[in-house]
Amino acid sequence: MNQSALLRPDWTPATIALMILGFVVFWPLGLAMLAYILFGDRLRGFKRDINEATDGMFAGCRRGPRGRHRSHFTSDNVVFDDWRKAELDRLEQERRKLDEMRAEFDTYVRELRRAKDQDEFDRFMRERNNVKRDDNGPAAEFQTP
C-alpha cells in the first residue's frame, strides 16, 4: 500500500491516528488534519483554481522574449509559429476534454457512492423492520403527518 492511499482525505486508520497525534502534540495540527479529512477531496479543484488565477496574474511578469515560458514567443519562421500555435490549441482542447472526463467521472463516483449508501440504508431498514416484527409481533406502520 502506498503513501497516497494511506493519507487520502477519508476516515482511514492512518488519518485518524495523525489527527489524534496532531491534537496531542499541538492542537492546530489536529484541527488541520480534521479539516483535511473533511474537505480534502475539494483541495484538488481549489489548488487548480488558485494555480490558474496566479498564472493569469503573473503572465505578464515573465522574462524577456527568449524566456522559456513566454506565451507570445515568436520565432523567425512563420510556418513554425503557425504549427506551434495549432499544436498548443490542440493540446488545450485535449486538456479541456480531459477536464470534462474527470468531472464526469467525479459525478459517476459520487452517484455510485450515493447508490451504495442507499443500498446500505435500505438493508438497514429491512433488518430493523424484521427485528421489530420478531420482537413485538407484527410491526406497526409508521404514518407520516
Side-chain angles (χ1 to χ4, degrees):
M1 190 174 235
N2 60 19
Q3 183 180 10
S4 64
L6 287 173
L7 294 178
R8 66 184 183 274
D10 201 3
W11 292 100
T12 63
T15 56
I16 293 170
L18 286 173
M19 180 184 63
I20 292 170
L21 183 65
F23 277 118
V24 169
V25 173
F26 185 57
W27 70 266
L29 293 176
L31 194 60
M33 192 63 197
L34 178 63
Y36 175 71
I37 291 170
L38 295 176
F39 305 110
D41 54 343
R42 299 179 193 160
L43 287 178
R44 275 192 215 112
F46 178 72
K47 181 182 174 193
R48 184 187 67 244
D49 294 344
I50 293 296
N51 284 341
E52 288 174 1
T54 55
D55 286 347
M57 284 187 341
F58 294 110
C61 299
R62 305 237 164 110
R63 284 190 225 159
R66 299 287 180 193
R68 236 176 98 209
H69 300 291
R70 184 74 175 172
S71 59
H72 301 290
F73 175 80
T74 58
S75 70
D76 293 334
N77 191 326
V78 176
V79 175
F80 173 76
D81 290 341
D82 292 342
W83 172 82
R84 182 177 179 272
K85 182 180 179 324
E87 286 296 307
L88 289 174
D89 291 342
R90 183 185 63 80
L91 290 172
E92 181 64 24
Q93 184 179 8
E94 288 294 319
R95 187 194 59 78
R96 278 193 302 269
K97 285 181 187 176
L98 287 173
D99 286 344
E100 290 172 6
M101 289 172 59
R102 188 196 67 234
E104 290 173 8
F105 180 72
D106 289 345
T107 302
Y108 171 77
V109 168
R110 194 174 318 112
E111 290 301 317
L112 195 62
R113 286 182 186 145
R114 181 171 176 75
K116 179 185 168 202
D117 290 346
Q118 185 68 46
D119 289 342
E120 289 174 357
F121 177 74
D122 291 342
R123 185 176 23 166
F124 167 76
M125 291 303 287
R126 278 192 309 271
E127 290 174 4
R128 182 173 176 254
N129 289 337
N130 288 338
V131 168
K132 279 188 177 182
R133 279 192 198 111
D134 292 343
D135 291 342
N136 301 329
E141 289 293 323
F142 293 105
Q143 295 180 356
T144 57

